[in-house]
Amino acid sequence: MNKLNKNYHIKRRNTQSTANTGKILEAEKPLSQSMVWKLQKDFYANQGPEAWSKGIVPQYITTNPYISHLYAKTVFGYCRDIASSEDFEKNTTIYIMELAAGVGRFTYSFLKYFLHMLENSSLKGLSFKYLITDLAERNVEYWLKHRYLKPFFEEGILDAATFNMTEDEELHLRYSGKILRPGQVKNPLILFANYTFDSLPQDTFYVSNGELYEGLVTITEKEATVDAKDNSILSGFHYSYTDRLVSGSEYYDETNINEILLYYKDRLQDSAFSLPIIAFQCISRLRRLFQDDLILISTDKGYRNLLSMEKNYHPFLSKHGSISLTVNFHAMELYFDSLGGSAIHSIYEHESVTMSLFLLSKHPHNFLETTLVFQEIIESTGPDDFYVLKKALVPKNKSLTSKELLTFLRFTHWDARTFLEFYHTFLERIEKEEDFPREELITAIYQVWEYYFPIGDDGNLFYCLGSLLSYFGCDTDAIELFESSIEFYGEEDALYYEIALCYYNLQEFSKALMYAEKSLLLNPTFEESKELISIIGPI
């Protein structure tokens, strides 16, 4: 029985189109079994780090220093809880695992903050290892070669692995060569999933008049000319849903997941809901690996209660290179409840993402420290609140005082993107503004540099920081920043000139001459370098 058949045109959200006459590529498949997930997998495998460095896939809201600091605080609270437990194995390692870590930017700033907390607390000496994982082999190779991550690998607190969330049962750690298998790990797993579950296969269902329908997707080719600028994996395709009655109560093999279906069947009316089935299966395998002891922290666009699902239809496949779906965090809570676990969600409706925490433990524990920290985060300024505030404030930056800009920069925990957005305002004011907070800005420059993880994306932070430090007479550090700019963004005549000028200020004239000449090799007409060479004269 077909309850409803609705088409979505890829180009516009929530648009009902006329029947498609293009070639049918697949007909009436459960969403989790659709061809779109094969396209998704191939996209990430082919793009590798460039999916993020080129800005094809959004990442900022879940990789900025502000959210990394929130996670570090939460994990620190959790470690205080478990370290106080009699069951805690003090001589073994705590594993922190990040799923679908992408380019590694969150990993870097989290480790910076978390290590600082450990080193300055009663937990100093706690043994932990951060596992950065992704499906794409190119991403793993990128992490292993990135010089900013190299010290963490060498210190033994970071390791990397490819991890297929749809099937892998164990972890093969690439740096140490160790293999983590079920039954070998004694302490709990701390699991991160940011902008992760929204990109994994899900199933979708519809409830009407007390009946449950599965949403089946049909993919057809578009007859119209494809937009050459559309880099989505769904470019050139239409998709539509058909609802088919579900009979019986054993749709899945797992009883607890079938009970979630019945829960929604009894409580929703004329509404669709999705089930993050691969997320459930991934968590189930990690439960076996870590013996039913884990905490999951996840930030994503998601539903956190029944009210947010009322009158919804089947998911719109959001496209930004890859595809993503809104995550049913409420179903995740029901899943953890069925295992004897618990969940804490953001208490407000959020504009972009919601932040949720899920706990599962085979040991009796009240997790007071974890709960206290996390509730403080979600009741004050969580990652979505930060993003809303930032979007409102940054466009008004020229109307704020320099002190106010630096105050907000501290609030962001030294976010590089925010600094870049304020950069030209600072430049305009350094010489003109009376009582310009010079020393505060210099401190901010070093802090932003400390927590920045370069991937070669838009906005050359190294040059901006270096130009300011050079202006303030910090020439040695400015040189390091300019050289990093060359490493991540390539050679430029102006950059070589800036380095030459710094060496000139340091009275290292032979080096100044060498870099001025490098500048002229790239651009023989670069007048500033010619002038500097004439000033230096013969050596």
Side-chain angles (χ1 to χ4, degrees):
M1 174 182 178
N2 290 346
K3 177 65 182 176
L4 191 61
N5 191 319
K6 184 172 181 178
N7 293 312
Y8 282 85
H9 189 287
I10 300 301
K11 293 299 289 181
R12 290 183 294 162
R13 182 170 183 169
N14 295 334
T15 300
Q16 188 168 358
S17 65
T18 57
N20 298 317
T21 57
K23 178 183 177 183
I24 296 177
L25 301 178
E26 69 173 14
E28 299 191 349
K29 285 282 191 74
L31 182 57
S32 65
Q33 300 174 29
S34 172
M35 62 178 280
V36 300
W37 305 111
K38 172 64 165 56
L39 296 175
Q40 181 98 312
K41 180 179 177 181
D42 292 345
F43 168 82
Y44 281 110
N46 294 331
Q47 290 289 333
E50 292 181 355
W52 294 272
S53 63
K54 290 184 176 180
I56 301 171
V57 176
Q59 59 158 330
Y60 173 73
I61 198 170
T62 57
T63 62
N64 62 74
Y66 187 88
I67 190 174
S68 301
H69 186 259
L70 296 182
Y71 273 56
K73 286 174 63 176
T74 306
V75 171
F76 183 74
Y78 180 73
C79 287
R80 285 172 61 91
D81 275 331
I82 61 173
S84 66
S85 170
E86 293 181 359
D87 299 320
F88 178 62
E89 295 280 350
K90 293 182 174 58
N91 296 321
T92 60
T93 300
I94 295 174
Y95 287 98
I96 303 172
M97 180 178 179
E98 183 182 354
L99 297 172
V103 79
R105 180 164 274 173
F106 172 91
T107 306
Y108 180 77
S109 54
F110 172 87
L111 287 172
K112 286 275 192 176
Y113 287 120
F114 186 61
L115 283 167
H116 177 76
M117 292 176 187
L118 286 185
E119 288 300 309
N120 294 278
S121 74
S122 59
L123 293 181
K124 184 175 182 178
L126 183 79
S127 177
F128 81 95
K129 189 180 291 289
Y130 194 106
L131 307 178
I132 180 171
T133 73
D134 202 286
L135 175 63
E137 171 65 23
R138 285 185 61 190
N139 291 345
V140 177
E141 293 173 354
Y142 180 78
W143 307 327
L144 291 168
K145 295 175 182 176
H146 201 296
R147 72 174 174 90
Y148 277 53
L149 294 177
K150 184 178 179 181
F152 298 125
F153 283 116
E154 292 175 345
E155 291 169 25
I157 59 176
L158 177 65
D159 214 323
T162 54
F163 185 70
N164 186 337
M165 287 179 275
T166 65
E167 59 186 46
D168 285 350
E169 302 275 349
E170 55 190 30
L171 283 163
H172 295 246
L173 307 186
R174 294 285 289 278
Y175 189 81
S176 65
K178 186 175 181 179
I179 301 175
L180 300 183
R181 295 187 173 93
Q184 295 180 343
V185 186
K186 296 182 179 180
N187 282 324
L189 170 67
I190 300 166
L191 185 64
F192 299 156
N194 298 329
Y195 269 169
T196 298
F197 297 144
D198 68 333
S199 300
L200 289 181
Q202 302 182 25
D203 281 324
T204 182
F205 301 88
Y206 190 80
V207 177
S208 181
N209 297 321
E211 298 285 6
L212 180 68
Y213 299 83
E214 60 178 336
L216 306 177
V217 67
T218 295
I219 308 292
T220 58
E221 284 185 327
K222 283 195 288 190
E223 290 189 320
T225 303
V226 177
D227 183 356
K229 296 181 180 179
D230 187 352
N231 59 12
S232 167
I233 63 171
L234 293 180
S235 175
F237 300 144
H238 290 275
Y239 68 96
S240 61
Y241 290 107
T242 304
D243 293 328
R244 185 168 65 194
L245 183 67
V246 174
S247 58
S249 58
E250 297 182 353
Y251 186 88
Y252 294 109
D253 294 334
E254 298 89 346
T255 301
N256 57 339
I257 300 179
N258 288 325
E259 289 174 351
I260 295 173
L261 288 180
L262 295 177
Y263 175 95
Y264 288 124
K265 178 183 176 183
D266 293 341
R267 288 166 176 80
L268 290 175
Q269 173 59 30
D270 292 330
S271 301
F273 64 93
S274 60
L275 230 57
I277 185 64
I278 297 301
F280 291 160
Q281 293 171 2
C282 174
I283 292 167
S284 179
R285 283 185 264 97
L286 289 174
R287 281 173 47 218
R288 290 193 291 273
L289 181 57
F290 289 88
Q291 303 182 55
D292 281 330
D293 246 351
L294 67 86
I295 175 176
L296 164 64
I297 311 173
S298 184
T299 300
D300 217 321
K301 52 183 183 179
Y303 302 121
R304 57 187 177 82
N305 53 37
L306 281 172
L307 184 62
S308 58
M309 287 180 266
E310 286 186 355
K311 307 305 178 184
N312 285 349
Y313 192 62
H314 293 306
F316 168 71
L317 303 181
S318 176
K319 61 165 190 170
H320 31 66
S322 61
I323 59 170
S324 63
L325 290 70
T326 303
V327 181
N328 189 344
F329 280 128
H330 181 261
M332 297 278 291
E333 178 180 3
L334 296 177
Y335 178 74
F336 271 80
D337 284 345
S338 73
L339 302 173
S342 60
I344 310 174
H345 301 294
S346 301
I347 60 176
Y348 305 114
E349 287 293 338
H350 286 104
E351 181 178 300
S352 300
V353 293
T354 189
M355 183 178 179
S356 294
L357 180 146
F358 305 89
L359 278 165
L360 181 65
S361 179
K362 62 187 176 184
H363 305 293
H365 208 299
N366 51 26
F367 294 105
L368 289 177
E369 298 269 4
T370 310
T371 303
L372 178 65
V373 173
F374 193 75
Q375 286 182 336
E376 179 186 351
I377 289 169
I378 62 177
E379 289 175 8
S380 56
T381 312
D384 191 80
D385 304 302
F386 161 74
Y387 191 55
V388 169
L389 183 61
K390 181 182 180 299
K391 286 195 299 180
L393 187 144
V394 166
K396 298 179 173 64
N397 75 85
K398 291 186 181 296
S399 66
L400 300 176
T401 68
S402 298
K403 283 273 191 180
E404 288 168 340
L405 295 180
L406 289 165
T407 297
F408 184 72
L409 193 58
R410 285 195 297 273
F411 171 76
T412 70
H413 289 281
W414 313 112
D415 175 45
R417 178 179 289 192
T418 304
F419 183 88
L420 284 169
E421 289 162 334
F422 292 170
Y423 172 68
H424 289 289
T425 302
F426 286 136
L427 276 185
E428 292 169 3
R429 295 178 179 179
I430 287 174
E431 293 184 352
K432 298 178 182 179
E433 186 175 282
E434 187 177 354
D435 298 325
F436 182 83
R438 171 191 173 115
E439 295 304 321
E440 285 186 46
L441 178 57
I442 292 173
T443 298
I445 289 169
Y446 282 103
Q447 290 294 327
V448 170
W449 185 9
E450 176 73 18
Y451 293 101
Y452 176 61
F453 183 78
I455 61 173
D457 51 349
D458 288 343
N460 188 337
L461 180 74
F462 291 122
Y463 177 79
C464 295
L465 297 180
S467 64
L468 288 171
L469 286 186
S470 176
Y471 175 85
F472 290 129
C474 306
D475 291 292
T476 301
D477 290 330
I479 290 170
E480 184 177 344
L481 285 160
F482 290 140
E483 288 177 340
S484 292
S485 176
I486 292 169
E487 176 186 355
F488 287 95
Y489 292 92
E491 295 180 306
E492 288 185 32
D493 50 5
L495 271 173
Y496 282 132
Y497 169 73
E498 294 284 0
I499 296 173
L501 198 58
C502 288
Y503 277 121
Y504 179 82
N505 292 334
L506 292 168
Q507 298 186 22
E508 296 187 38
F509 301 122
S510 60
K511 289 184 178 179
L513 184 61
M514 178 181 71
Y515 279 96
E517 289 171 345
K518 281 188 175 185
S519 173
L520 291 176
L521 285 174
L522 293 178
N523 181 5
T525 64
F526 198 87
E527 293 300 327
E528 289 89 342
S529 292
K530 289 181 180 179
E531 183 179 355
L532 183 60
I533 290 172
S534 67
I535 292 172
I536 295 171
I539 295 179

